[in-house]
């Protein structure tokens, strides 16, 4: 009886049962439908796992960890969690980029003619490999970015297999020609829109999720029939090599050219050669606004279209009628501290109404204070929050916190760099709780990309929405509560590209279109819209009954025009016949056409 005496007063048995049943059901369907199609089964293949992923590996600890190596142009790769050297990567040159583009162009010509079944087989092959090698992939991502394995599972693997699964199940439907309506004058025509391969596209992706950011654009691009040049961040150059080998090995195993995927690692001064390349048909960029301006300027030289995801200052509005404040706190914690806050759709501002403000402060304070910081690979059972990619912004972050405190904010937990006793060369910032922040403070307006929880007061729903919309960013947002009218109002009035209701970033776990507005960028990737955005959208009109009826130019309009008066009368009659308001006007139009025939 002691066990049951210690249980919470209310146990959500129904929710737990539904959850367990859903997992079992989805797993069964997933295996039978996605992985077990007799016609296009996944192909097994192997990729050598980097020795650094072994638990026994111990690299040299750098005295001053940096991606720049004195006296060399090579990229020095190291683990941000402990400063251990992972290896050196030679950066691409302009000539190397030209060769990569040429190889991709040649391979794409054959790939464009493959069937959707062949492309689905490739994606199933990738999916199976990822599911079978989660440990190695997560470890490589942790080594190169400093995140924990839990963060890697959620932010690298789960979202990647979701994108694969969605594309396998729904991609062909999204890419099929789509019928469009006709009109009275063109009733003998059939109209449709087709989505065709662009050729070679490029993606310049950020370091915060090195596996997913590499695989995401690759999945969509290959499925549409194009080839891809993938420029990964120099900060995660080491893991990119392993992840690229996975994609290229899958292509080879399925009998296709590995040149369809061209990984590029280069220093910023060389990137312009890629983004301005005349043979690149589209650029996807994930990064910061200042760099984005250079990318757009560069791409404009070749009039190359660009899709941009530039980060955010995502708000989470907490209404007074939340269902369970402890469940709410758990979601807010995950949204704030996932990947040490280095998450483009991470929760950067919690805007809370008065009724539960102090209660939320108390719960968050206790939980954030207990967070353990460290290297998840060295101390797997003693780490909640991993390292940051670099310590370059620590001084600035500390200044933002101190400036907010001077203006009246209360610093309850953390707020500065953390010198880890076991990993002194690691890049750690203390998990931080800053409350009573106001919209005029710089920390409330600037994207932090750090493990800093910012709590703001709002007197009512209108004020909460106004505060949420004060920043130049508008990527994602969350709202929590149970009043449907308030939830719908916030969802409608908040400026954002994506909104989660009673959740955090869940739109990304169901393959909805991803992107923002304002300073968070433009364009979308993910879902149907993302697939189509990297295609040539071709409008096609064809005869519905080609052997019976087709377009014929009226004699009055046939060149050379014999009578301007008759020609004008015919044009006027055609317009009235096709678009006149009422039967009488249309009848007059028909008579006008016949009179001038």
């Amino acid at each position: 009886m002691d066990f049951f005496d210690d249980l919470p007063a209310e146990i959500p048995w129904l929710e737990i049962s539904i959850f367990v049943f859903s997992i079992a059901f989805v797993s069964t369907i997933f295996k039978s439908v996605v992985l077990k199609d007799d016609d296009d089964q996944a192909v097994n293949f192997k990729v050598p796992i980097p020795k650094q992923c072994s638990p026994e590996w111990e690299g040299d600890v750098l005295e001053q960890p940096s991606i720049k190596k004195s006296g060399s142009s090579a990229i020095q790769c190291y683990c941000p969690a402990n400063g251990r050297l992972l290896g050196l990567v030679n950066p691409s040159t302009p000539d190397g980029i030209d060769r990569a583009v040429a190889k991709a162009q040649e391979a794409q010509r054959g790939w464009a003619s493959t069937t959707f079944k062949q492309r689905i087989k490739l994606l199933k092959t990738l999916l199976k490999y990822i599911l079978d090698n989660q440990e190695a992939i997560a470890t490589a991502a942790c080594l190169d970015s400093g995140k924990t394995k839990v963060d890697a599972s959620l932010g690298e693997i789960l979202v990647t297999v979701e994108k694969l699964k969605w594309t396998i199940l729904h991609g062909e439907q999204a890419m099929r020609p789509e019928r469009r309506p006709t009109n009275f004058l063109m009733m003998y025509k059939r109209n449709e829109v087709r989505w065709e391969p662009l050729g070679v596209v490029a993606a310049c992706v950020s370091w915060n999720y090195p596996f997913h950011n590499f695989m995401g654009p690759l999945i969509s691009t290959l499925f549409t029939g194009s080839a891809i040049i993938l420029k990964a961040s120099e900060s995660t150059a080491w893991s990119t090599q392993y992840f690229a080998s996975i994609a290229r090995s899958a292509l080879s195993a399925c009998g296709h050219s590995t040149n369809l995927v061209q990984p590029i690692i280069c220093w910023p001064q060389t990137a312009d050669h890629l983004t301005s390349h005349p043979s690149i048909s589209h650029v996807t960029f994930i990064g910061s606004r200042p760099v984005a301006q250079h990318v757009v300027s560069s791409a404009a030289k070749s009039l190359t279209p660009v899709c941009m995801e530039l980060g955010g200052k995502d708000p989470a509005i907490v209404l007074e009628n939340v269902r369970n404040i402890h469940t709410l706190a758990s979601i807010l914690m995950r949204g704030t501290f996932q990947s040490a806050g280095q998450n483009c759709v991470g929760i950067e501002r919690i805007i809370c109404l008065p009724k539960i403000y102090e209660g939320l402060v108390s719960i968050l304070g206790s939980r954030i204070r207990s967070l353990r910081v460290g290297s998840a690979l060295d101390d797997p059972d003693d780490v909640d929050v991993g390292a940051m990619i670099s310590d370059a912004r620590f001084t600035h972050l500390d200044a933002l916190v101190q400036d907010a405190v001077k203006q009246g904010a209360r610093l309850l937990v953390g707020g500065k760099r953390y010198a880890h006793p076991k990993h002194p060369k690691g890049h750690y910032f203390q998990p931080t709780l800053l409350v009573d922040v106001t919209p005029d403070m710089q920390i409330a307006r600037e994207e932090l990309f750090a493990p800093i929880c910012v709590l703001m007061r709002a007197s009512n729903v209108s004020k909460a929405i106004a505060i949420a919309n004060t920043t130049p960013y508008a990527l994602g947002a969350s709202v929590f509560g149970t009043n449907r009218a308030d939830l719908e109002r916030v969802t409608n009035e908040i400026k954002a590209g994506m909104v989660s209701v009673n959740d955090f970033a869940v739109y990304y776990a169901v393959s909805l279109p991803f992107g923002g507005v304002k300073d968070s960028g433009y364009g979308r990737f993910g879902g149907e819209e993302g697939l189509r955005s990297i295609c040539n959208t071709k409008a096609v009109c064809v005869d519905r009954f080609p052997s019976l009826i087709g377009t014929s130019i009226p004699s009055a309009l046939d060149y050379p025009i014999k009578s301007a008066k008759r020609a004008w009368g015919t044009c006027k009659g055609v317009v009235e016949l096709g678009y006149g308001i009422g039967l009488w006007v249309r009848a007059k139009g028909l008579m006008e056409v016949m009179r001038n025939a």
Side-chain angles (χ1 to χ4, degrees):
M1 290 297 292
D2 292 342
F3 171 79
F4 292 97
D5 290 339
D6 292 337
L7 287 175
E10 295 184 10
I11 300 177
W13 292 113
L14 178 60
E15 289 87 347
I16 292 173
S17 300
I18 292 173
F19 176 78
V20 172
F21 176 81
S22 299
I23 292 295
F25 178 79
V26 170
S27 177
T28 302
I29 296 299
F30 189 76
K31 290 180 179 178
S32 62
V33 175
V34 179
L35 294 179
K36 298 296 184 181
D37 191 307
D38 290 337
D39 294 331
D40 49 9
Q41 285 190 34
V43 178
N44 291 319
F45 68 95
K46 293 183 178 181
V47 177
I49 296 173
K51 62 181 181 181
Q52 293 89 336
C53 293
S54 168
E56 288 76 36
W57 176 78
E58 290 187 9
D60 295 333
V61 177
L62 297 173
E63 184 60 33
Q64 293 183 317
S66 170
I67 60 173
K68 294 184 177 180
K69 180 176 174 61
S70 179
S72 172
S73 63
I75 299 167
Q76 183 171 251
C77 308
Y78 69 94
C79 177
N82 54 30
R84 295 188 183 277
L85 177 66
L86 293 169
L88 299 176
V89 173
N90 288 322
S92 297
T93 63
D95 286 344
I97 290 173
D98 288 340
R99 289 192 295 272
V101 172
K103 289 178 181 178
Q105 281 183 306
E106 179 65 28
Q108 191 272 335
R109 294 188 186 100
W111 180 248
S113 64
T114 56
T115 64
F116 283 120
K117 181 165 287 189
Q118 288 174 299
R119 299 174 196 175
I120 287 171
K121 180 175 183 177
L122 171 67
L123 299 193
K124 286 186 175 183
T125 297
L126 271 173
L127 176 60
K128 186 176 188 303
Y129 181 88
I130 294 169
L131 292 174
D132 291 344
N133 293 272
Q134 295 182 58
E135 185 85 20
I137 292 169
T139 299
C142 292
L143 283 168
D144 219 7
S145 66
K147 60 169 57 73
T148 69
K149 289 182 77 171
V150 170
D151 291 341
S153 179
L154 296 174
E156 306 274 17
I157 294 172
L158 184 147
V159 289
T160 300
V161 297
E162 159 58 25
K163 182 155 192 164
L164 282 164
K165 184 212 73 171
W166 184 91
T167 309
I168 289 167
L169 293 178
H170 308 292
E172 184 175 356
Q173 177 64 37
M175 295 289 293
R176 285 177 183 164
E178 188 174 277
R179 290 288 183 89
R180 295 296 172 86
T182 188
N183 58 42
F184 180 73
L185 292 177
M186 294 289 116
M187 66 174 69
Y188 63 97
K189 295 287 187 181
R190 186 180 74 245
N191 312 317
E192 67 182 29
V193 178
R194 301 174 185 175
W195 289 274
E196 299 178 343
L198 277 177
V200 179
V201 305
C204 304
V205 299
S206 57
W207 45 260
N208 55 332
Y209 291 104
F211 179 68
H212 178 68
N213 288 346
F214 185 90
M215 286 293 176
L218 179 152
I219 293 164
S220 297
T221 299
L222 292 180
F223 192 79
T224 63
S226 289
I228 188 165
I229 313 294
L230 263 157
K231 184 208 166 294
S233 169
E234 56 271 27
S235 294
T236 50
W238 174 79
S239 61
T240 295
Q241 296 178 113
Y242 171 46
F243 302 148
S245 69
I246 294 173
R248 290 163 69 91
S249 295
L251 281 164
S252 178
C254 292
H256 305 294
S257 173
T258 60
N259 288 330
L260 288 164
V261 174
Q262 296 290 331
I264 294 291
I265 304 291
C266 65
W267 293 111
Q269 60 268 26
T270 308
D272 176 78
H273 190 77
L274 173 63
T275 51
S276 64
H277 203 289
S279 296
I280 296 297
S281 301
H282 183 278
V283 174
T284 296
F285 174 78
I286 304 174
S288 67
R289 189 174 187 271
V291 178
Q293 292 173 323
H294 291 291
V295 171
V296 171
S297 176
S298 173
K301 297 173 186 176
S302 300
L303 297 180
T304 304
V306 183
C307 170
M308 300 217 150
E309 191 272 280
L310 309 180
K313 188 69 178 171
D314 288 14
I317 293 179
V318 179
L319 305 176
E320 292 187 332
N321 49 6
V322 295
R323 183 180 303 168
N324 185 309
I325 192 171
H326 295 282
T327 301
L328 166 68
S330 294
I331 297 173
L332 295 176
M333 291 277 288
R334 174 53 61 183
T336 302
F337 296 103
Q338 162 78 19
S339 200
Q342 300 165 119
N343 192 358
C344 54
V345 288
I347 295 174
E348 293 242 345
R349 297 172 294 157
I350 300 172
I351 304 167
C352 187
L353 269 60
K355 185 177 179 181
I356 63 170
Y357 184 90
E358 291 301 336
L360 191 57
V361 169
S362 176
I363 295 171
L364 290 175
S366 174
R367 295 186 63 173
I368 294 172
R369 201 170 286 112
S370 65
L371 290 177
R372 301 159 299 173
V373 177
S375 172
L377 298 181
D378 295 306
D379 310 297
D381 296 324
D382 298 311
V383 175
D384 300 300
V385 179
M388 295 184 67
I389 194 71
S390 164
D391 62 359
R393 296 176 56 247
F394 284 5
T395 300
H396 180 62
L397 291 172
D398 182 71
L400 286 174
V401 172
Q402 294 307 315
D403 180 65
V405 171
K406 288 178 182 177
Q407 295 183 62
R410 289 185 291 150
L411 177 61
L412 302 185
V413 184
K416 59 184 179 181
R417 177 195 304 258
Y418 175 61
H420 200 288
K422 291 180 65 176
H423 311 294
K425 301 300 180 181
H427 305 316
Y428 297 101
F429 197 88
Q430 293 177 341
T432 298
L433 177 60
L434 191 67
V435 306
D436 298 346
V437 173
T438 56
D440 55 313
M441 297 176 184
Q442 189 61 28
I443 202 166
R445 299 180 57 80
E446 183 177 319
E447 184 180 31
L448 301 177
F449 229 54
I452 299 176
C453 183
V454 169
L455 196 58
M456 309 174 72
R457 295 178 185 268
S459 55
N460 53 49
V461 176
S462 296
K463 186 64 174 176
I465 296 170
I467 292 172
N469 291 335
T470 54
T471 78
Y473 296 100
L475 187 58
S478 298
V479 56
F480 297 86
T482 55
N483 184 293
R484 291 189 177 183
D486 287 343
L487 291 172
E488 186 65 16
R489 181 188 172 191
V490 172
T491 301
N492 288 338
E493 296 183 21
I494 203 163
K495 303 298 181 185
M498 304 162 290
V499 179
S500 290
V501 178
N502 288 319
D503 219 319
F504 147 68
V506 71
Y507 39 77
Y508 205 48
V510 290
S511 293
L512 289 176
F514 187 95
V517 293
K518 296 168 63 176
D519 280 8
S520 288
Y522 52 81
R524 296 293 184 270
F525 51 83
E528 183 176 294
E529 293 79 3
L531 276 181
R532 293 176 173 182
S533 72
I534 52 173
C535 292
N536 172 40
T537 302
K538 180 181 285 185
V540 178
C541 265
V542 299
D543 289 330
R544 195 183 297 272
F545 309 107
S547 61
L548 298 177
I549 185 172
T551 297
S552 178
I553 303 297
S555 60
L557 302 179
D558 204 8
Y559 286 121
I561 293 176
K562 299 177 179 62
S563 168
K565 183 177 180 180
R566 283 182 59 221
W568 169 251
T570 299
C571 288
K572 185 171 180 291
V574 168
V575 171
E576 290 177 345
L577 173 62
Y579 304 98
I581 301 174
L583 289 176
W584 173 241
V585 176
R586 290 194 170 194
K588 280 178 57 183
L590 176 60
M591 289 187 287
E592 187 76 14
V593 171
M594 296 173 65
R595 184 165 53 247
N596 289 283

